[in-house]
Amino acid sequence: MFVEAVGLFFFLAAIYVASTIWQNRHLPPGPFPLPVLGNLLSISLDQPYRDFANMARTYGKLFRVQMGSTKVIVINSYEIAKEALVTKAKDFAGRPPHFFGAIFGRDNTDIAFQSYSPRWKLQHKIAMTAMRMTEDKVNIPSYIEELCGAFCLHDGKPFNPRDSIYKSIGGCVSSLIFGDYKCNDWELNALLQAIHVFNLSIGAANFINTFPVFKYIPFHSIENAKDSAKIRDQIFLRKFQEQASTSNTKNFSSVIEAMYKEFREIGCDGLTENNLISSASDLFSAGTETPSTEILWSLFYAIKYSDVQARLHRELDDVIGLERLPELSDRPNLPYLDAFLTEMVRIVSETPLAIPHSTTRDTTLAGFFIPRDVTVFVNLWAIHHDTEYWVEPFTFRPERFLNEDKQLRVDGMLPFSAGIRTCPGEKFGKKVVFLFVARLFHRFRFECPKGEELPAEEDSDLGILRNCKPFKICAVARN
């Protein structure tokens, strides 16, 4: 009986090995997967982007892994990423199923997690047009002044800046999305909490996406996500109904009004008002989370490298002086500040694996066959730390982005991905981060409190974004 069992085991193992090799024969190289688990034992939950970068040393810049029974193609090179996202954009424009993405994406009616389709194209176009129409209507400086006031209340004493930054950015984006109907304190706090819950859910999402059967178990993270999404959706539905009933197609002041105008003029073509609400929700979440994270990381690196902060202060003093505040029009004359922000985005790579893509049809990439409906990870962290592209990629050096004339020069960066799935709020987000950081550093010198240390750079919390571990600062007024 024992001999028969052993024989059956080896027979089944041989069938598994042979079938796996046959199925993967045209795909990029990669580690051999175990039954059921695939290659999950080689991929950590907290830093999978580092694990993929290490695998690239063995299998090349384009390889495959298996997460459970799901095959995943991982891109670790700038050139291959450009081929996928730009040259063959439609082939790689899909989205794989995402459990928590479906919850927070209102049953996949949003922009971020909805797969590529004619409806998505129209929805994305409406959102992009609405952003262009309204992004200059927001009084960004007023929210910066509120944040500076909150910092001044601490009178140079230690405090954690996270909540103040998120609330200030959230209020700014609320004004963009809702206009005169912007959120009150309770609504804003509820929306910020929903963003926080979504970030915490991502670790569980990776597990549930790999083993879908677990979505039927009432885990606390699932129930919490559903509750937060429900409260968020109620707020957005109420705001949308308020503006839709009073919308003025000639004089609009918010993204929702501008989207509703486009919706009525272009025609629905499969879109519903629910899609517009989901688009607005996406813009609020991304527009709050990404700039807030980048501003926190900017404070982190300015404190960690005091010589860099001193150079930022010198440039601001030389160009702006003490009699006025930095404006967006000053940006071409503040190249070191721009280089500082670019280097921060590169070294942090706050969306290290971006949002997963999937193929919409059979295609090829870097000479390899890639079948339809395969999940694709673009490892932005590996791209931004590629030793073949960057000199000392783990060293924080803003001057790497300055040319011989000390002007900004950016190559090899994909912070907002590329191609047709780029974020509609990219331009507004960059504007917000630049102006907030310029005015904060014009106003304050930031220090680490005595007796405390900054958290390790690599010891970050991974959700959709890499969030710096909590740290305290001292904001010392300069003028």
Side-chain angles (χ1 to χ4, degrees):
M1 186 71 177
F2 174 74
V3 174
E4 292 174 347
V6 171
L8 178 61
F9 170 80
F10 280 105
F11 175 72
L12 294 175
I15 292 176
Y16 175 77
V17 171
S19 64
T20 299
I21 292 174
W22 178 259
Q23 291 170 14
N24 294 332
R25 68 192 184 281
H26 297 306
L27 298 178
F32 192 85
L34 296 172
V36 182
L37 293 177
N39 303 115
L40 287 177
L41 296 180
S42 302
I43 304 169
S44 61
L45 288 176
D46 56 341
Q47 295 186 346
Y49 47 90
R50 286 181 180 267
D51 298 324
F52 291 144
N54 290 333
M55 288 182 189
R57 298 173 187 169
T58 301
Y59 302 105
K61 297 294 179 69
L62 181 71
F63 63 84
R64 57 166 171 76
V65 293
Q66 200 159 306
M67 304 180 72
S69 61
T70 303
K71 285 184 174 61
V72 178
I73 303 299
V74 186
I75 299 172
N76 295 270
S77 126
Y78 178 74
E79 291 75 15
I80 299 175
K82 291 285 281 187
E83 179 185 350
L85 302 177
V86 179
T87 307
K88 298 178 178 177
K90 291 183 180 180
D91 294 3
F92 291 87
R95 289 282 193 239
H98 192 288
F99 179 72
F100 283 102
I103 293 175
F104 283 92
R106 298 169 55 86
D107 295 325
N108 295 314
T109 59
D110 69 330
I111 296 174
F113 290 96
Q114 183 184 165
S115 199
Y116 184 76
S117 67
R119 185 181 73 173
W120 178 89
K121 286 176 62 179
L122 180 58
Q123 188 173 344
H124 186 264
K125 178 183 178 182
I126 288 175
M128 292 284 287
T129 302
M131 287 296 299
R132 285 195 298 269
M133 289 178 171
T134 56
E135 62 183 16
D136 292 331
K137 296 179 181 291
V138 181
N139 185 6
I140 299 174
S142 67
Y143 294 95
I144 301 174
E145 289 308 303
E146 286 182 10
L147 182 61
C148 289
F151 280 16
C152 284
L153 290 176
H154 296 280
D155 195 24
K157 295 181 174 60
F159 69 100
N160 185 332
R162 183 189 182 280
D163 289 346
S164 296
I165 290 172
Y166 266 80
K167 190 164 186 177
S168 181
I169 297 293
C172 180
V173 179
S174 164
S175 177
L176 170 73
I177 303 297
F178 304 121
D180 295 336
Y181 297 89
K182 63 186 179 182
C183 296
N184 59 38
D185 283 346
W186 181 90
E187 290 169 331
L188 182 57
N189 288 334
L191 294 179
L192 294 177
Q193 177 63 17
I195 293 174
H196 179 62
V197 168
F198 181 47
N199 246 319
L200 292 178
S201 303
I202 296 303
N206 293 332
F207 182 73
I208 294 173
N209 290 338
T210 303
F211 303 106
V213 67
F214 286 99
K215 69 183 179 182
Y216 300 107
I217 299 177
F219 291 119
H220 174 70
S221 58
I222 295 177
E223 299 306 314
N224 198 20
K226 289 180 178 178
D227 291 343
S228 295
K230 182 178 179 180
I231 294 172
R232 179 209 60 183
D233 291 346
Q234 289 172 346
I235 294 172
F236 270 89
L237 179 60
R238 183 168 64 251
K239 297 286 186 186
F240 184 87
Q241 290 174 339
E242 288 172 350
Q243 294 194 57
S245 64
T246 60
S247 178
N248 185 334
T249 58
K250 294 183 179 179
N251 185 25
F252 46 85
S253 62
S254 71
V255 163
I256 285 181
E257 284 184 329
M259 285 197 301
Y260 199 67
K261 171 184 177 293
E262 290 295 300
F263 175 72
R264 288 187 294 184
E265 289 185 356
I266 295 176
C268 63
D269 194 23
L271 284 182
T272 66
E273 291 185 353
N274 198 40
N275 291 106
L276 302 187
I277 297 171
S278 297
S279 296
S281 177
D282 268 4
L283 292 171
F284 178 85
S285 298
T288 299
E289 181 78 354
T290 302
S292 298
T293 300
E294 290 185 359
I295 292 168
L296 281 167
W297 278 113
S298 296
L299 296 179
F300 175 93
Y301 282 106
I303 292 171
K304 184 176 178 66
Y305 300 103
S306 57
D307 57 326
V308 170
Q309 183 174 182
R311 186 168 171 180
L312 289 171
H313 287 151
R314 285 197 301 272
E315 182 178 72
L316 286 164
D317 292 345
D318 291 343
V319 175
I320 308 301
L322 305 179
E323 303 302 320
R324 67 179 182 89
L325 296 172
E327 303 289 348
L328 286 171
S329 57
D330 293 311
R331 189 167 194 168
N333 300 318
L334 297 169
Y336 188 75
L337 175 56
D338 240 345
F340 167 78
L341 293 174
T342 306
E343 176 69 342
M344 175 273 298
V345 168
R346 181 199 69 81
I347 202 165
V348 172
S349 297
E350 73 264 24
T351 53
L353 294 175
I355 298 177
H357 291 246
S358 68
T359 48
T360 58
R361 57 192 173 200
D362 290 352
T363 186
T364 59
L365 186 62
F368 290 100
F369 171 72
I370 310 294
R372 180 178 179 174
D373 294 330
V374 166
T375 298
V376 179
F377 288 166
V378 182
N379 191 351
L380 298 179
W381 187 90
I383 291 170
H384 294 162
H385 293 80
D386 188 345
T387 55
E388 296 179 11
Y389 198 100
W390 305 96
V391 177
E392 298 181 342
F394 295 94
T395 301
F396 189 83
R397 290 198 303 111
E399 55 272 17
R400 75 171 75 242
F401 291 106
L402 297 177
N403 62 19
E404 294 178 355
D405 298 323
K406 304 300 182 184
Q407 294 302 304
L408 186 71
R409 172 188 51 80
V410 180
D411 303 307
M413 294 281 290
L414 293 170
F416 290 88
S417 190
I420 58 180
R421 293 220 68 135
T422 51
C423 175
E426 176 181 352
K427 181 182 174 184
F428 180 76
K430 288 180 177 179
K431 182 191 303 184
V432 166
V433 171
F434 176 83
L435 199 53
F436 264 78
V437 171
R439 293 201 175 192
L440 285 172
F441 282 100
H442 184 265
R443 183 85 171 266
F444 299 101
R445 183 179 74 255
F446 296 101
E447 301 173 351
C448 186
K450 290 182 179 179
E452 297 197 21
E453 294 183 356
L454 292 171
E457 296 168 67
E458 64 275 9
D459 187 22
S460 54
D461 294 322
L462 179 63
I464 283 288
L465 302 181
R466 283 184 69 204
N467 290 287
C468 188
K469 290 285 188 181
F471 63 98
K472 290 185 178 181
I473 65 171
C474 294
V476 181
R478 296 184 65 231
N479 302 322

